[in-house]
């Protein structure tokens, strides 16, 4: 028996693998084996289901106090491509999605230099008032940490203020790469790994659910990826608060790391499968179709993903600005159903908390 065979058997018995074992699989296991193991692990959690929701994004601004090297979205103040919506603009955006049946509104943007936490609480209140039936998933841990620190509040109090306004869960962005040395190279000014974990740990202890991400396919090594996954697995052991993990592929258009290029689709599939296999305690692995494109997201269902995110309704620019093919991303429920069928699975509409929705 080779080392790969041994580890594969461990995974078939649903045993946890170590970081070293993960590295062996990542480097040496054939793609078909990773697919087989990851789909078996996925089926133990979600059977033949492929989850999606009806959602849209609100991106209040692309001004940002930070200047991450991989970001294609940020613009400096005064740029003709900068936007900075007022609360009334945001209300207009939300109203434009009335009747879409959305059950989730994902609010995320740049870290604005001037707005404070009370402004964001008011934003959430206004959005919630317009669509009380939709759950608000708002602000990356980096945005949250910045606004809470600026207000001089302890983390729990800051989060509570936003929860009282109507925030119901936290998206996974801002994680990038947890390794401190690498983080300092790709996003030197950005909120730290410790801040990201403080927000998610505190949120989980308050009973909030959140997601987690990794930005992969740039200058990181496999060791960095495994380290990232292990740090998330440890917090999940402690709190159980993560709903989903979303590997985000570095897209290289229009940012200062463009020369690096993008990793192959095979690398994407290995990333998805290894996420499923290492994160044995995170129920959902999301193949974010806006970032991968619809065809790659469909293929991801054969590598351990059980969620493709939502209908989006042409509401996000982060990925089109970074080079994603779909410049006006939207997907219908019929398309999602076909994707699931093509992968031998069944599309299931869910809410933010993975309750199934039957209409
Ligand atoms: O944190 C920025 C990433 C993230 C690039 O929680 C880039 O359900 C690739 O977190 N290439 C924001 N990625 C998006 C995000 C997200 C998306 C969908 C669902 C959820 C969820 C969360 O986008 C940022 C950063 O890691 N990002 N620039 C780029 N050039």
């Amino acid at each position: 028996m080779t080392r790969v065979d041994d580890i594969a058997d461990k995974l078939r018995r649903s045993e946890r693998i170590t970081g070293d074992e993960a590295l062996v699989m990542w480097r040496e296991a054939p793609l078909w084996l990773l697919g087989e193991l990851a789909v078996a692990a996925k089926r133990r959690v979600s059977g033949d289901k492929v989850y999606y929701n009806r959602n849209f994004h609100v991106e209040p601004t692309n001004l940002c106090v930070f200047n991450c090297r991989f970001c294609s979205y940020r613009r400096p103040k005064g740029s003709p491509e900068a936007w900075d919506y007022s609360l009334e603009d945001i209300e207009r955006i939300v109203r434009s999605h009335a009747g879409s049946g959305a059950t989730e509104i994902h609010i995320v943007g740049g870290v604005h230099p001037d707005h404070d936490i009370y402004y964001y609480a008011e934003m959430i209140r206004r959005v919630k008032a317009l669509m009380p039936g939709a759950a608000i998933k708002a602000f990356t841990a980096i945005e949250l940490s910045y606004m809470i620190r600026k207000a001089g509040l302890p983390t729990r109090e800051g989060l509570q203020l936003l929860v009282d306004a109507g925030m119901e869960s936290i998206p996974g962005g801002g994680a990038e790469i947890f390794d401190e040395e690498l983080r300092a190279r790709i996003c030197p000014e950005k909120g730290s790994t410790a801040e990201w974990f403080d927000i998610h740990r505190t949120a989980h202890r308050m009973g909030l659910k959140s997601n987690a991400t990794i930005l992969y396919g740039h200058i990181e090594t496999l060791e960095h990826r495994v380290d990232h996954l292990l740090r998330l697995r440890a917090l999940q052991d402690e709190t159980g608060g993560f709903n989903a993990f979303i590997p985000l592929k570095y897209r290289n258009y229009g940012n200062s790391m463009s020369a690096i290029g993008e990793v192959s689709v095979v690398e994407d599939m290995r990333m998805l499968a290894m996420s499923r296999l290492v994160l044995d305690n995170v129920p959902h692995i999301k193949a974010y179709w806006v970032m991968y494109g619809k065809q790659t997201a469909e293929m991801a269902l054969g590598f351990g993903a059980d969620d493709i995110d939502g209908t989006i309704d042409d509401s996000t620019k982060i990925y089109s600005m970074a080079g994603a093919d779909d410049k006006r991303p939207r997907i219908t429920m019929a398309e999602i159903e076909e994707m699931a069928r093509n992968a031998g699975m069944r599309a299931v509409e869910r809410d933010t908390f993975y309750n199934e929705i039957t209409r």
Side-chain angles (χ1 to χ4, degrees):
M1 287 256 273
T2 65
R3 189 91 203 276
V4 166
D5 293 331
D6 277 343
I7 302 166
D9 277 349
K10 239 178 128 169
L11 286 163
R12 288 194 186 97
R13 293 191 300 268
S14 301
E15 284 174 32
R16 175 164 280 193
I17 58 170
T18 65
D20 286 342
E21 289 169 334
L23 279 171
V24 170
M25 295 305 274
W26 220 315
R27 292 200 183 106
E28 296 174 28
L31 183 64
W32 63 263
L33 178 60
L34 292 184
E36 178 201 312
L37 295 168
V39 169
K42 175 247 181 263
R43 293 188 87 88
R44 287 194 283 273
V45 180
S46 48
D48 66 347
K49 295 174 192 168
V50 175
Y51 292 103
Y52 73 97
N53 67 1
R54 296 199 209 186
N55 66 346
F56 63 92
H57 288 218
V58 175
E59 296 174 345
T61 187
N62 64 350
L63 298 176
C64 190
V65 297
F66 302 126
N67 198 353
C68 302
R69 295 192 57 216
F70 53 78
C71 181
S72 316
Y73 171 84
R74 175 193 191 268
R75 292 292 179 278
K77 211 171 184 163
S79 158
E81 292 168 327
W83 70 85
D84 186 6
Y85 295 141
S86 65
L87 292 177
E88 290 68 35
D89 293 332
I90 289 170
E91 286 178 315
R92 249 189 309 278
I93 293 170
V94 173
R95 272 196 217 98
S96 75
H97 295 279
S100 65
T103 60
E104 179 181 281
I105 307 173
H106 183 156
I107 310 177
V108 67
V111 178
H112 194 283
D114 305 327
H115 297 320
D116 62 17
I117 193 167
Y118 306 100
Y119 172 90
Y120 289 109
E122 177 62 13
M123 182 187 292
I124 290 174
R125 263 192 297 275
R126 290 199 193 190
V127 171
K128 192 71 189 170
L130 286 171
M131 270 203 188
I136 298 191
K137 182 171 85 178
F139 308 128
T140 67
I142 301 305
E143 292 170 274
L144 290 167
S145 180
Y146 188 85
M147 67 176 90
I148 292 171
R149 278 188 298 120
K150 193 166 158 181
L153 294 172
T155 307
R156 180 180 275 265
E157 272 180 43
L159 290 176
Q160 191 61 53
L161 197 144
L162 297 168
V163 167
D164 292 343
M167 180 179 85
E168 284 154 281
S169 80
I170 298 176
E176 322 313 355
I177 279 283
F178 291 141
D179 178 86
E180 285 79 1
E181 189 265 330
L182 190 62
R183 193 176 183 86
R185 287 168 63 197
I186 64 169
C187 45
E189 311 111 341
K190 191 170 202 147
S192 66
T193 297
E195 284 174 63
W196 193 95
F197 275 95
D198 173 51
I199 293 287
H200 284 268
R201 178 179 282 108
T202 308
H204 295 172
R205 286 183 180 158
M206 294 166 66
L208 284 172
K209 291 288 185 183
S210 71
N211 291 337
T213 58
I214 183 174
L215 181 71
Y216 74 94
H218 42 91
I219 55 172
E220 87 289 359
T221 62
L222 293 185
E223 283 83 354
H224 290 129
R225 293 187 200 172
V226 169
D227 168 67
H228 192 98
L229 295 175
L230 292 182
R231 293 194 204 201
L232 289 172
R233 189 169 79 179
L235 180 57
Q236 184 73 341
D237 277 344
E238 192 185 311
T239 66
F242 289 121
N243 266 339
F245 177 68
I246 309 137
L248 295 172
K249 174 195 184 117
Y250 166 65
R251 304 300 312 254
N252 79 331
Y253 180 80
N255 58 63
S256 60
M257 303 196 328
S258 287
I260 290 168
E262 293 181 358
V263 295
S264 72
V265 69
V266 169
E267 191 58 40
D268 296 332
M269 297 304 117
R270 298 182 83 81
M271 179 73 224
L272 283 153
M274 288 308 303
S275 302
R276 172 61 79 183
L277 296 174
V278 175
L279 293 177
D280 53 12
N281 53 1
V282 175
H284 306 291
I285 302 294
K286 188 187 282 189
Y288 184 40
W289 72 264
V290 178
M291 178 249 330
Y292 280 129
K294 291 175 187 171
Q295 290 189 346
T296 302
E298 182 173 312
M299 187 155 63
L301 303 177
F303 290 86
D306 69 343
D307 191 314
I308 60 152
D309 201 74
T311 46
I312 299 287
D313 207 9
D314 187 18
S315 57
T316 175
K317 294 200 182 71
I318 296 180
Y319 279 92
S320 54
M321 291 171 80
D325 293 337
D326 235 322
K327 297 304 170 212
R328 310 203 58 185
R330 53 160 51 99
I331 192 167
T332 63
M333 293 166 79
E335 278 179 283
I336 297 171
E337 278 158 17
E338 195 188 335
M339 278 168 84
R341 250 194 327 272
N342 289 345
M345 295 176 192
R346 180 166 59 91
V348 171
E349 186 183 353
R350 61 160 177 90
D351 67 12
T352 299
F353 313 101
Y354 288 83
N355 300 307
E356 294 184 19
I357 296 176
T358 40
R359 296 190 191 240

